[in-house]
Amino acid sequence: MKLQQLRYIVEVNNNNLNVSATAESLFTSQPGISKQVRMLEDELGIQIFGRSGKHLTHVTKAGLEIINIANDILSKVESIKSVAFEHTKPDEGALNIATTHTQARYALPNIIGKFIKRYPKVSLHMHQGTPSQISEMAVKGEADFAIATESMHLYSDLIMLPCYHWGRSVVVNADHPLAKLKGKMTIEDVAQYPLVTYVFGFQRKSELEIAFNKANLVPNVVFTATSADVLKTYVRLGLGVGVIATMAINEELDKDLVAIDATHLFGLSTTKIGFRKGTFLRTYMYDFIEEFAPHLTKNLVSTAVSLKDAEQVDALFKDIELPIR
């Protein structure tokens, strides 16, 4: 059994059983991957992948267990490399962050600016996506950190630490009827109009859907996007009422719009930062986390890592008052 074989089966699974795409991503040949996978299966005496002719059709039950263990092994290998670099090149490396457009555009710029100034030899890469895309990148090891809010069930394989709370605002043009209501606005008022808001409707309901469901109302969502800037553009076009993160509203740039605080309607959401279990966190990674969320000191993060499950992690933070943005 070779590490190369384990890497091949993991990547084949990550590429939806497309051996050709796997070969391309690993800069090797398709026949070479197929041969190594077969050799591993022969050595183990089981099939990792089901086949129809030359095509892989599914991952077997045993194969799924093997791939999960292979993922852990490859993660440990990367951790060994990280330990070595921590001692030989402590201020050099790479940091990959997967997050939403709102976090990347409004919450992270100052943090990243300070980080790059402090660690000029660390290359930082930002990947934006939906909650499912963010979690997938983190689980596969394509991102060191996942920063997200919605659909926390997608991050069950990660250690997720709370950073801050944030609220939503209803955004309309100045001549819109809701602009006159301000603090008197109810969810029934909002439900009268078509909405433009963030992409939602994943496996579990978003905070927006939950709020409308509690009032026995169905939101008329006519347009969704991952970018708050795009949503504001469509509000300006009169497509609908925007429901966006309050942090995404700029008093100067958005002075043509009216923003109405809607925390009393939709409550507060909590942004969390997460990473794979077993990850060796380098010093600059700890520093990034603390810069983003000052209460997440190295000692507190290390304590969270040592806990058994998400329930214990949540209990660790129950008495910590998070900031609101």
Side-chain angles (χ1 to χ4, degrees):
M1 187 185 306
K2 304 174 183 177
L3 282 175
Q4 181 189 54
Q5 294 171 329
L6 300 182
R7 183 168 288 107
Y8 284 170
I9 63 173
V10 166
E11 288 304 314
V12 166
N13 184 56
N14 288 344
N15 282 280
N16 299 315
L17 309 188
N18 186 323
V19 180
S20 177
T22 303
E24 185 176 345
S25 68
L26 294 176
F27 304 101
T28 187
S29 69
Q30 183 175 341
I33 290 178
S34 297
K35 178 181 178 181
Q36 290 298 322
V37 171
R38 281 290 194 185
M39 288 176 64
L40 179 59
E41 290 179 323
D42 290 343
E43 179 182 347
L44 297 176
I46 55 95
Q47 275 196 321
I48 296 172
F49 302 106
R51 294 169 173 80
S52 177
K54 294 183 178 180
H55 299 285
L56 304 183
T57 58
H58 64 280
V59 180
T60 65
K61 182 178 179 180
L64 182 60
E65 295 180 22
I66 291 170
I67 289 172
N68 287 338
I69 295 173
N71 254 318
D72 292 338
I73 291 172
L74 294 174
S75 177
K76 292 296 184 184
V77 170
E78 290 304 312
S79 291
I80 291 172
K81 294 179 182 178
S82 294
V83 171
F85 281 126
E86 181 70 8
H87 288 275
T88 59
K89 300 178 180 179
D91 296 330
E92 297 182 29
L95 183 60
N96 287 273
I97 300 169
T99 189
T100 62
H101 172 271
T102 298
Q103 300 294 330
R105 172 70 175 82
Y106 298 101
L108 286 167
N110 290 337
I111 308 301
I112 289 174
K114 292 178 182 178
F115 179 84
I116 291 176
K117 186 175 181 180
R118 184 173 182 179
Y119 293 101
K121 294 183 179 180
V122 175
S123 58
L124 199 151
H125 309 277
M126 184 82 71
H127 309 273
Q128 298 176 45
T130 63
S132 58
Q133 292 169 334
I134 294 167
S135 66
E136 184 177 7
M137 283 186 278
V139 169
K140 288 182 178 180
E142 296 171 0
D144 299 299
F145 293 143
I147 299 176
T149 302
E150 299 280 10
S151 304
M152 280 297 116
H153 64 286
L154 295 171
Y155 304 89
S156 58
D157 292 332
L158 306 178
I159 298 172
M160 300 298 293
L161 310 177
C163 300
Y164 63 87
H165 300 307
W166 58 270
R168 294 169 177 79
S169 288
V170 167
V171 180
V172 295
N173 288 309
D175 59 352
H176 195 280
L178 289 180
K180 302 175 182 178
L181 296 180
K182 294 290 184 177
K184 299 179 181 179
M185 182 181 64
T186 66
I187 198 163
E188 286 78 13
D189 294 324
V190 179
Q192 295 180 50
Y193 303 98
L195 304 180
V196 298
T197 189
Y198 299 112
V199 175
F200 66 97
F202 302 99
Q203 295 179 16
R204 298 187 185 180
K205 294 185 182 298
S206 69
E207 294 295 331
L208 187 70
E209 290 175 290
I210 292 172
F212 278 98
N213 286 344
K214 285 183 178 179
N216 294 316
L217 297 169
V218 178
N220 177 23
V221 178
V222 296
F223 179 80
T224 62
T226 57
S227 165
D229 294 332
V230 170
L231 294 174
K232 286 184 283 187
T233 295
Y234 283 90
V235 169
R236 290 184 172 98
L237 292 173
L239 185 64
V241 170
V243 182
I244 66 175
T246 301
M247 74 175 82
I249 300 166
N250 184 292
E251 291 186 6
E252 182 62 29
L253 297 177
D254 301 321
K255 59 185 177 182
D256 58 319
L257 298 174
V258 175
I260 309 165
D261 181 68
T263 305
H264 64 293
L265 301 182
F266 305 117
L268 293 172
S269 293
T270 304
T271 289
K272 296 186 177 183
I273 187 168
F275 46 87
R276 289 192 298 175
K277 298 170 184 175
T279 298
F280 176 79
L281 295 176
R282 297 188 60 183
T283 297
Y284 64 76
M285 293 180 173
Y286 278 113
D287 288 345
F288 178 88
I289 294 174
E290 188 168 357
E291 189 67 49
F292 184 59
H295 64 280
L296 292 178
T297 62
K298 182 177 181 178
N299 287 339
L300 188 58
V301 172
S302 297
T303 299
V305 168
S306 69
L307 300 177
K308 292 182 179 180
D309 51 42
E311 287 73 21
Q312 290 188 356
V313 173
D314 290 340
L316 178 66
F317 291 93
K318 69 176 183 178
D319 295 326
I320 294 179
E321 187 175 347
L322 301 180
I324 299 176
R325 296 184 183 177

